[in-house]
Amino acid sequence: MKDLFAPYEVMDLKLKNRVVMPPMCQYSVSNKDGIATDWHYTHYVSRAIGGAGLIIIEMTDVEPDGRISDFDLGIWSDEQIAPLARIVEACHAYGAKVGIQIGHAGRKAEDAVVPVAPSAIPFNAESTTPRELTTAEVKAMVEKFRQAVARAVKAGFDVIELHGAHGYLIHQFHSPLTNHRTDEYGQDLTLFGTEVIRAAKSEMPAGMPLIMRISAKEYVDGGYGINESIEFSKAYKAAGADIFHVSTGGEGPIGLGPMATKDKPGAHAAYQVPFASAIKQSLAVPVIAVGRLDEPALADAVIGNEEADLVAVGRGMLRNPYWTLEAAAQLNKETDVPEQYRYGFPRKNR
């Protein structure tokens, strides 16, 4: 029977359990050079010690102006490889596998003097109006993603995640709300995303899975819903996406302004799980569910009910680096506990 602590294997990725630490920006690059710091090392390695099966490092950007803020991680330079490799190596020592989320903020790049986007549409009334990328610049952006993935592979990551959710650049291209282009990237809203996927796969070992993070529903008037996200996800699967990490929203302000809608995201536990389940069933692909899944019994039920293959626990792991060990204790499941911590957990889990 499947449960939260059952091993999971997809392609060459072998996980000791189904618990994922999702990417969560730390805004902690004090030198503004995109290079991972001791904070990042401690932050991620502590979750490996704490038992997570898969740790996905926060959104790491393909160019300086692709950062949400100047304090974000980057992967546009070879100088950024070694500090990331140090994190990966240490996490591996504690039995965790490590991924990295590669992305570009597009119009949501808050510290860019003039952000870029598919179309010159600001995120909200207070945001800088972005400059529309030329067709040649879009193609150059695909190349920046390719180079970023090549660096991630050199750093030793086990899996790559592309950020196509939360209103960032790939999401901006596949959303009719933010892509009003008249060139080929406007005629086929999935073209940019599919080209980025193919470029990424060209740099990845054959057995390394590619995760695509998507927002399965937009929460603004005229936004797409699950039927549309199933369709663009089919294009991404055909291009080479192996796993889908399913979230929602992020494309615009909720409840404010002319683009707002009364259709707001849920506030209840597991409110996004039905979207992950729909993608899983429609595409026959592995999925990661996320969103208010901090209670171990609930996370375990999502796996047991086969609504998702993996469960991401965000806020729970921010509160407790050892969330996974505590979940095993609560659920009375077998898991590896560091020898130094064995007195803090039941004998069964030593």
Side-chain angles (χ1 to χ4, degrees):
M1 183 177 179
K2 297 176 182 176
D3 62 55
L4 193 61
F5 288 89
Y8 185 71
E9 185 174 335
V10 54
M11 300 169 64
D12 287 349
L13 180 67
K14 298 179 180 179
L15 305 177
K16 64 181 181 180
N17 59 44
R18 311 296 184 100
V19 181
V20 178
M21 179 186 183
M24 294 175 285
C25 288
Q26 297 295 291
Y27 306 110
S28 296
V29 183
S30 55
N31 290 336
K32 300 184 180 182
D33 55 9
I35 296 175
T37 67
D38 286 345
W39 172 265
H40 298 94
Y41 180 88
T42 301
H43 174 63
Y44 291 111
V45 177
S46 63
R47 275 68 185 180
I49 294 171
L54 174 62
I55 294 166
I56 305 178
I57 287 179
E58 65 204 77
M59 179 169 155
T60 306
D61 300 287
V62 303
E63 66 174 3
D65 281 347
R67 293 173 290 179
I68 303 168
S69 84
D70 287 346
F71 298 97
D72 290 353
L73 290 176
I75 195 162
W76 63 79
S77 166
D78 287 352
E79 293 178 347
Q80 294 156 341
I81 296 174
L84 292 170
R86 175 173 173 250
I87 294 171
V88 173
E89 183 178 7
C91 289
H92 282 169
Y94 296 104
K97 297 300 173 66
V98 192
I100 184 170
Q101 185 185 74
I102 294 175
H104 189 295
R107 68 176 187 164
K108 295 178 77 173
E110 297 173 3
D111 289 339
V113 176
V114 180
V116 297
S119 300
I121 304 170
F123 176 65
N124 58 34
E126 290 74 40
S127 300
T128 302
T129 298
R131 179 178 63 80
E132 180 174 312
L133 290 160
T134 68
T135 303
E137 287 174 329
V138 177
K139 295 182 184 300
M141 189 68 73
V142 174
E143 174 63 12
K144 290 176 182 179
F145 271 89
R146 185 194 66 77
Q147 292 176 5
V149 171
R151 293 186 183 100
V153 171
K154 287 182 181 178
F157 285 98
D158 303 292
V159 61
I160 305 296
E161 176 170 292
L162 296 175
H163 202 345
H166 300 162
Y168 298 120
L169 190 63
I170 295 174
H171 182 164
Q172 291 165 28
F173 268 94
H174 68 228
S175 173
L177 289 171
T178 46
N179 186 346
H180 296 178
R181 301 176 68 90
T182 57
D183 66 356
E184 59 190 302
Y185 293 98
Q187 294 163 10
D188 177 0
L189 301 188
T190 65
L191 181 59
F192 177 68
T194 56
E195 287 186 347
V196 170
I197 290 169
R198 293 189 185 107
K201 295 289 277 194
S202 74
E203 295 292 342
M204 296 166 60
M208 180 185 289
L210 177 67
I211 304 170
M212 175 59 88
R213 186 84 183 264
I214 65 163
S215 286
K217 181 177 182 178
E218 295 181 316
Y219 294 106
V220 296
D221 290 336
Y224 65 72
I226 186 62
N227 292 332
E228 292 82 4
S229 60
I230 286 171
E231 290 306 309
F232 69 65
S233 294
K234 287 178 180 177
Y236 293 158
K237 178 186 177 183
D242 303 296
I243 305 169
F244 285 80
H245 192 171
V246 184
S247 187
T248 59
E251 72 297 322
I254 297 169
L256 297 172
M259 292 292 287
T261 178
K262 295 179 180 178
D263 185 12
K264 298 180 181 181
H268 54 279
Y271 74 98
Q272 293 181 142
V273 171
F275 297 106
S277 182
I279 295 291
K280 177 178 173 64
Q281 297 302 320
S282 298
L283 276 70
V285 291
V287 299
I288 305 171
V290 66
R292 298 185 181 272
L293 297 171
D294 296 352
E295 289 299 322
L298 176 59
D300 190 49
V302 169
I303 300 298
N305 292 333
E306 300 188 2
E307 296 171 286
D309 302 277
L310 302 166
V311 169
V313 179
R315 290 177 178 85
M317 284 201 194
L318 290 180
R319 292 192 299 271
N320 180 7
Y322 313 109
W323 184 93
T324 309
L325 300 181
E326 182 62 32
Q330 288 188 29
L331 297 170
N332 198 30
K333 300 291 186 180
E334 294 279 0
T335 194
D336 293 331
V337 174
E339 181 67 17
Q340 298 90 332
Y341 293 170
R342 61 188 176 90
Y343 290 113
F345 295 91
R347 181 176 298 274
K348 181 177 181 180
N349 293 320
R350 290 187 184 181

